[in-house]
Amino acid sequence: MPLYEHVYLARQDTSTQQVDELTAQLKGVIEGLGGSIKKSEYWGVKSLSYRLRKNRKAHFTLLDIDAPPPAINEIERLERLNEDVLRYLTIRVDAHEEGPSAMMRRAERDRDRDERRGERGERGERGERGERGDRPRDRDRRGRDDSEDSKNAGRE
């Protein structure tokens, strides 16, 4: 059977539980038509590049599917009818990616980076040098007379 990657976006005001139920419904349709879902990943609520049907964010879900083409046609038909689904995309692939998808690897990388940052302290904290406000600025170093002379020099 052909292999597919299917991603759908659900409205931001739907709950995670509703998105899970929709995924379970799609899984039931695919299995009923002789296919199977190899992997299902919920990517979370992410910002959209532009507004879709007045939504700025959406729930993203990825499904790795091994199913005949009529099963794909049926889930796409159901998604067109479901008003909670903003967009969907199905791509035929030669092989499914092993392990987590690129989006999940990115989330893990970001989490690791945040953990490392927590050990070093927040960016706003300063070490022995003190706060930025402790450093004299150029205009504070110059005397008041120097600044008035420079103003008058431009007028002459």
Side-chain angles (χ1 to χ4, degrees):
M1 276 188 277
L3 303 175
Y4 299 94
E5 285 184 0
H6 179 80
V7 177
Y8 72 89
L9 283 61
R11 291 185 317 155
Q12 66 186 2
D13 55 349
T14 57
S15 67
T16 306
Q17 182 182 4
Q18 289 172 311
V19 174
D20 291 340
E21 289 172 5
L22 178 59
T23 302
Q25 178 188 2
L26 297 176
K27 183 177 181 180
V29 169
I30 290 170
E31 290 174 350
L33 293 171
S36 64
I37 292 187
K38 300 299 181 188
K39 177 172 61 172
S40 174
E41 288 183 354
Y42 174 70
W43 291 344
V45 178
K46 303 214 174 281
S47 295
L48 300 171
S49 299
Y50 53 90
R51 290 174 58 176
L52 291 175
R53 295 191 215 158
K54 301 181 182 180
N55 291 284
R56 295 188 182 277
K57 294 184 177 189
H59 294 270
F60 285 65
T61 304
L62 167 76
L63 303 173
D64 282 350
I65 303 171
D66 183 8
I72 300 302
N73 291 339
E74 181 61 18
I75 65 167
E76 288 181 351
R77 185 186 73 79
L78 291 172
E79 289 175 335
R80 276 194 299 274
L81 295 173
N82 190 333
E83 61 187 33
D84 289 337
V85 176
L86 299 172
R87 287 278 196 278
Y88 60 87
L89 178 67
T90 306
I91 300 173
R92 186 171 175 177
V93 294
D94 294 329
H96 287 138
E97 190 175 316
E98 294 296 323
S101 66
M103 291 293 286
M104 295 304 282
R105 287 192 305 261
R106 179 176 156 215
E108 290 172 12
R109 185 186 69 218
D110 292 345
R111 229 180 340 230
D112 292 344
R113 184 187 66 219
D114 291 343
E115 289 173 4
R116 286 192 309 269
R117 253 190 206 152
E119 294 169 4
R120 290 186 291 184
E122 295 296 321
R123 185 177 185 142
E125 296 177 12
R126 296 290 175 178
E128 298 173 11
R129 288 182 26 194
E131 296 293 323
R132 283 187 83 109
D134 295 347
R135 241 182 357 192
R137 296 183 176 173
D138 289 336
R139 66 173 183 251
D140 295 337
R141 287 187 202 145
R142 285 187 279 160
R144 195 107 170 107
D145 299 330
D146 293 341
S147 60
E148 290 175 8
D149 290 342
S150 62
K151 289 179 188 175
N152 293 334
R155 291 184 191 152
E156 296 176 0

